[in-house]
Amino acid sequence: MKKLLFLASLFILTAVLPAFAKPDVDEFRNRDYDISSIKTVLVMPVMFDVNKPESEAFFDEKVSQKWKDLTSPATNKKFPFLQKSPEDVVDRDNYVKGTASSDKLSPTKTAEKALSLAADYVSAVLTATVTKCEVKVIRHPEEITWETRYRTQKVWINGRLEEISVPYQYRNVRPAWNEEVSIAAVKLEMRDAKNGTLVYGSSVSAGTGDSLFVTRPSLTTHVCNVLENAAKRIPSK
């Protein structure tokens, strides 16, 4: 009975969750580079090599916040390196040189300046780029299947009228239908801060479509999920 309840619960859970396909992953690890030598990492803001969905108002902000959460020691204790933000590097450079800018730099200018200073203050630079973000429509053709049902029928057995279940087949037709699938891909690169050698790289892509009771996730949610999947693959020391 417990096994039956478990299987029923598993079926319901599978039915209500979106159909998240196993991600396609392409990874590179530089076997000639000692990753344990990396102490500090400049984590650059997430970049977008895609057209951002105009229908999702806070796509940029939510994806950027997700990347910060995944790489910040305050929100992710498992991040394997000492993280430095662009602001950290710029502030450190100002302190070392005894200078201070009277004009506050924009986030973009801060990131650019930090990247130019990376060789002096960190071991490596980590970048994340969203390379794909779209909704794909898959056309499913009409499906015809034969299924079995049981109906009760009274028959004479050994001189007695008894009820038995009699199987019969019926044709089930599912009309052609369109399935919307959220597609996303993220590319991560960790490079040596001094010479630009690629230490680690990965490209993770996945599609999540409709399920029985749940529609596809928004592109914002899906990109965040793929980004998290990619971040978890960053090798530890």
Side-chain angles (χ1 to χ4, degrees):
M1 184 63 179
K2 290 183 178 180
K3 184 177 181 181
L4 183 61
L5 290 174
F6 171 77
L7 292 175
S9 301
L10 185 61
F11 171 78
I12 293 172
L13 182 62
T14 303
V16 300
L17 290 176
F20 186 85
K22 182 179 180 180
D24 293 323
V25 181
D26 184 13
E27 283 186 289
F28 169 78
R29 298 191 184 195
N30 192 334
R31 303 300 182 189
D32 298 325
Y33 194 100
D34 182 11
I35 198 169
S36 65
S37 65
I38 296 177
K39 306 302 180 184
T40 54
V41 173
L42 167 61
V43 179
M44 296 293 288
V46 65
M47 296 177 286
F48 301 92
D49 190 18
V50 294
N51 293 322
K52 301 174 186 178
E54 296 180 359
S55 60
E56 300 183 22
F58 302 106
F59 173 82
D60 195 335
E61 291 81 1
K62 288 183 178 181
V63 174
S64 297
Q65 185 61 57
K66 183 67 174 181
W67 177 238
K68 288 181 180 179
D69 291 343
L70 290 169
T71 55
S72 170
T75 52
N76 184 8
K77 304 295 184 183
K78 295 183 180 180
F79 188 68
F81 306 99
L82 179 60
Q83 178 259 18
K84 296 294 181 181
S85 68
E87 292 78 11
D88 293 333
V89 172
V90 172
D91 288 345
R92 179 61 180 172
D93 184 66
N94 289 336
Y95 175 79
V96 170
K97 296 177 179 178
T99 60
S101 176
S102 58
D103 298 326
K104 184 174 176 60
L105 297 176
S106 68
T108 300
K109 291 296 184 181
T110 300
E112 291 175 353
K113 185 174 181 180
L115 187 60
S116 68
L117 297 169
D120 296 327
Y121 298 106
V122 296
S123 306
V125 178
L126 178 63
T127 61
T129 307
V130 178
T131 58
K132 186 176 292 185
C133 173
E134 62 184 7
V135 176
K136 183 178 180 180
V137 178
I138 301 175
R139 180 67 174 176
H140 295 273
E142 179 182 88
E143 297 178 3
I144 300 178
T145 58
W146 288 93
E147 301 183 13
T148 301
R149 286 180 179 172
Y150 292 86
R151 57 189 172 193
T152 303
Q153 183 175 325
K154 292 183 177 181
V155 296
W156 288 95
I157 300 178
N158 297 327
R160 296 176 57 185
L161 190 63
E162 297 185 8
E163 291 184 349
I164 62 172
S165 293
V166 180
Y168 72 96
Q169 286 191 317
Y170 70 98
R171 194 174 78 158
N172 183 35
V173 179
R174 183 179 186 181
W177 59 291
N178 292 331
E179 178 189 10
E180 289 190 342
V181 179
S182 294
I183 306 292
V186 171
K187 182 180 181 181
L188 300 188
E189 287 188 350
M190 182 183 292
R191 294 183 176 275
D192 185 278
K194 289 181 171 57
N195 56 35
T197 299
L198 182 61
V199 180
Y200 170 79
S202 70
S203 176
V204 179
S205 62
T208 302
D210 301 321
S211 67
L212 185 58
F213 302 115
V214 181
T215 57
R216 67 169 180 83
S218 68
L219 286 173
T220 302
T221 298
H222 189 55
V223 168
C224 287
N225 289 340
V226 175
L227 187 61
E228 181 174 359
N229 187 288
K232 288 181 177 179
R233 299 175 185 275
I234 298 174
S236 57
K237 295 183 180 181

